Amino acid sequence: MTPMIDGIRFPRPLRPGDRIGVTSPSAGVAGAASERIGFCVEWLRGRGYDVVVGECMDGAGLTSAPAEQRAAELTRMLADPDIHCVVPPWGGETAIDLVDLLDYDALAAAEPTWLVGFSDLSTVLLPITTRLGWATIHGDNLADTPYAVPDGLLHWLDLASGPGPFVQRDSGVVTDWWRFEEDPRATEWKHVGTNRWEVEGGGSLDVSGRLVGGCVETVGHLAGTPYGDVRGWADALDEATVVYLEACEDDAVDICRHLHAMRLAGWFDRAAAVLVGRTNAPDHPDLTQRGAVLDALGRLDLPIVWDLEIGHVPPHLPLVNGALARVVVDGDTREITQTLS
């Protein structure tokens, strides 16, 4: 199916006083997590935003509500002219059950609204960008939003609030979350190590293209469907892409299968490069996570940049799906510039 787009539509910059909607298109909130999410809501309010919390937030089961109810609430918030940004508490497991229940006609008739998140929210960010043409932000979920940003990176609020261009550089640090039971009001990442971006095979890199990507375990299941037609989207734009990917928890063999499926569905046909996020996902006894990427994508002769801060190993480097990105890795320069045009 041909994407429903004729270009990229960028939501207007977010301003203090604007309303931010909170809903759970996937997993809801329960137990010790409730205090954390309550703190994060108040953190946003303390920065001048009018935060409204939806009804789909129940954390008693796998999802916050039936798929039809979650899709309706997300559609309503995204189409509401008084809501300028929507952010989930976090990801989950089965947001794929609502991608075909969203009212794309209603959204196409509305002004674009920022949708922010990562992990299972990648499943929703992708079709909102490729089918509607709305720019979306692959960045912190609500639970991560109060964490201070390390040097070199920007907060997702910076990207949602300004005209750009936005320049971010390799932070060089690896961090971790504080467990909610340890500190539900944490605002400083737990420092656990250092790391740097690197180009596969060494050397330098300077490429540009439209950003698109997400969590392999979630967006991989959309490959070959109308909700993950990255090749059709790139063809409609007639532009190169920069594909970014990160693995959450699947072992290397499963990641390898996902990436092959994405390759066969044309995900990398117009790619200028592939950016790969740091991961703690396990290796297979006979295949590493890097080996999985190379097995699927090595035959494409595409530049690959390893170990960006774009996934389940924080801190987080927010990326705007649909933004024009320039990625430079050359000597001590490791940076990505995003232009919202």
Side-chain angles (χ1 to χ4, degrees):
M1 183 181 297
T2 302
M4 301 161 49
I5 67 165
D6 55 9
I8 304 298
R9 301 174 66 196
F10 293 92
R12 75 153 175 80
L14 194 63
R15 299 187 290 259
D18 282 346
R19 182 167 295 169
I20 295 177
V22 176
T23 184
S24 301
S26 190
V29 181
S34 299
E35 184 176 354
R36 175 63 180 179
I37 295 305
F39 167 72
C40 294
V41 168
E42 292 306 316
W43 187 92
L44 282 173
R45 288 173 175 159
R47 275 142 190 82
Y49 298 104
D50 175 17
V51 183
V52 294
V53 180
E55 297 180 358
C56 296
M57 295 289 287
D58 184 10
L62 182 66
T63 60
S64 64
E68 293 81 4
Q69 185 178 343
R70 285 180 282 124
E73 180 161 279
L74 181 58
T75 298
R76 178 182 61 76
M77 284 191 173
L78 290 174
D80 187 338
D82 293 327
I83 294 178
H84 297 283
C85 179
V86 178
V87 60
W90 36 61
E93 303 294 340
T94 60
I96 195 169
D97 64 0
L98 59 67
V99 295
D100 58 338
L101 299 176
L102 296 172
D103 189 339
Y104 291 96
D105 290 335
L107 294 176
E111 289 299 312
T113 297
W114 286 117
L115 179 62
V116 184
F118 80 106
S119 191
D120 201 24
L121 263 292
S122 297
T123 326
V124 183
L125 298 174
L126 184 66
I128 293 295
T129 295
T130 59
R131 285 186 58 76
L132 284 177
W134 289 15
T136 57
I137 299 178
H138 183 271
D140 290 318
N141 294 316
L142 179 59
D144 318 307
T145 290
Y147 279 112
V149 178
D151 289 344
L153 306 183
L154 296 172
H155 198 282
W156 70 259
L157 284 168
D158 296 325
L159 274 68
S161 301
F166 302 102
V167 180
Q168 297 183 85
R169 299 177 177 86
D170 183 357
S171 71
V173 300
V174 181
T175 63
D176 198 0
W177 292 270
W178 292 96
R179 295 172 59 248
F180 301 141
E181 294 83 0
E182 293 176 299
D183 186 359
R185 303 172 65 85
T187 58
E188 296 288 339
W189 291 108
K190 185 188 301 184
H191 188 277
V192 297
T194 60
N195 205 343
R196 300 298 300 273
W197 309 358
E198 60 177 303
V199 177
E200 170 62 25
S204 61
L205 174 83
D206 187 340
V207 298
S208 297
R210 294 284 172 184
L211 283 165
V212 66
C215 177
V216 174
E217 292 98 319
T218 69
V219 298
H221 291 289
L222 296 176
T225 78
Y227 305 96
D229 185 7
V230 168
R231 173 57 195 261
W233 175 73
D235 283 348
L237 294 173
D238 194 23
E239 293 189 74
T241 61
V242 172
V243 179
Y244 66 89
L245 299 167
E246 57 94 11
C248 172
E249 60 188 5
D250 282 2
D251 81 14
V253 167
D254 285 334
I255 294 298
C256 185
R257 293 191 189 107
H258 285 310
L259 291 173
H260 274 292
M262 296 163 76
R263 175 182 63 81
L264 293 168
W267 261 62
F268 308 99
D269 287 0
R270 300 194 66 144
V274 178
L275 313 180
V276 180
R278 300 166 184 167
T279 185
N280 290 325
D283 295 332
H284 181 274
D286 298 313
L287 186 68
T288 65
Q289 288 286 335
R290 283 200 181 190
V293 176
L294 293 174
D295 186 88
L297 307 185
R299 67 182 70 180
L300 300 179
D301 195 30
L302 279 175
I304 297 173
V305 185
W306 303 105
D307 292 333
L308 276 77
E309 305 95 322
I310 55 174
H312 285 79
V313 177
H316 295 139
L317 186 163
L319 296 173
V320 177
N321 288 310
L324 181 61
R326 181 185 179 192
V327 183
V328 178
V329 181
D330 187 5
D332 291 333
T333 301
R334 293 172 171 84
E335 66 182 28
I336 179 168
T337 301
Q338 300 177 69
T339 303
L340 307 191
S341 64

